Amino acid sequence: MDHAATVRRFYDLINAGDFDGFADLLADDFVEHEEIPGFEPSKAGVIEMFRMYLAAFPDLRLEAEDVLVDGDKVVARVRATGTHQGEFLGMPATGKSVDVQLIDITRFGDDALAREHWGVFDSLAMLQQLGAIPANPPG
């Protein structure tokens, strides 16, 4: 099983808006460990979250810059870019571009399906790039 290829496929499917194809790579009992306010930590919650992101950033691109495999886990360093063209977390479209880094860790089962995910992303940088918070705090 080539888990690295599967993780790269995740990003290709999300970039294409193919949520059914993405869902096919997740186990039905998939658990999301990254806290995402307003979304359940489940397969359905993750798919709903990506739908929200693509509605807000229709040109969203997730590009795996590094993919490392250790047994049943894969770590990916990812660059996320896009243009804020729709409402995002109550914020109207700004037309501004974002370019942020994230780290994804995915555990796979013996059936080659993703079972668990842990992740972090630079939400501060994204909010600064959108103008929601100052990039340079007063000093």
Side-chain angles (χ1 to χ4, degrees):
M1 290 180 267
D2 188 349
H3 298 318
T6 301
V7 165
R8 289 185 187 281
R9 181 97 177 112
F10 287 167
Y11 304 122
D12 290 342
L13 292 166
I14 293 165
N15 290 340
D18 184 354
F19 299 110
D20 291 336
F22 174 65
D24 288 344
L25 301 176
L26 306 181
D28 289 338
D29 60 351
F30 175 85
V31 176
E32 175 58 68
H33 295 284
E34 182 178 358
E35 290 193 30
I36 309 167
F39 298 95
E40 290 191 25
S42 65
K43 178 178 182 174
V46 167
I47 293 166
E48 183 181 341
M49 181 210 52
F50 280 118
R51 287 185 193 279
M52 180 267 306
Y53 269 103
L54 276 176
F57 300 90
D59 60 346
L60 178 69
R61 286 281 308 153
L62 299 172
E63 182 180 340
E65 296 185 328
D66 287 304
V67 177
L68 309 169
V69 179
D70 185 16
D72 64 350
K73 289 185 180 163
V74 177
V75 178
R77 183 176 63 86
V78 180
R79 179 180 181 196
T81 59
T83 310
H84 184 208
Q85 299 176 15
E87 184 178 318
F88 178 66
L89 302 176
M91 180 189 312
T94 63
K96 295 181 178 182
S97 296
V98 296
D99 188 337
V100 296
Q101 295 288 315
L102 55 118
I103 302 290
D104 286 320
I105 303 171
T106 306
R107 185 184 69 80
F108 289 88
D110 292 337
D111 56 4
L113 296 177
R115 296 281 167 184
E116 297 179 89
H117 171 265
W118 298 261
V120 292
F121 86 102
D122 193 349
S123 56
L124 176 62
M126 183 179 72
L127 292 172
Q128 288 175 329
Q129 291 169 24
L130 292 175
I133 57 176
N136 298 312

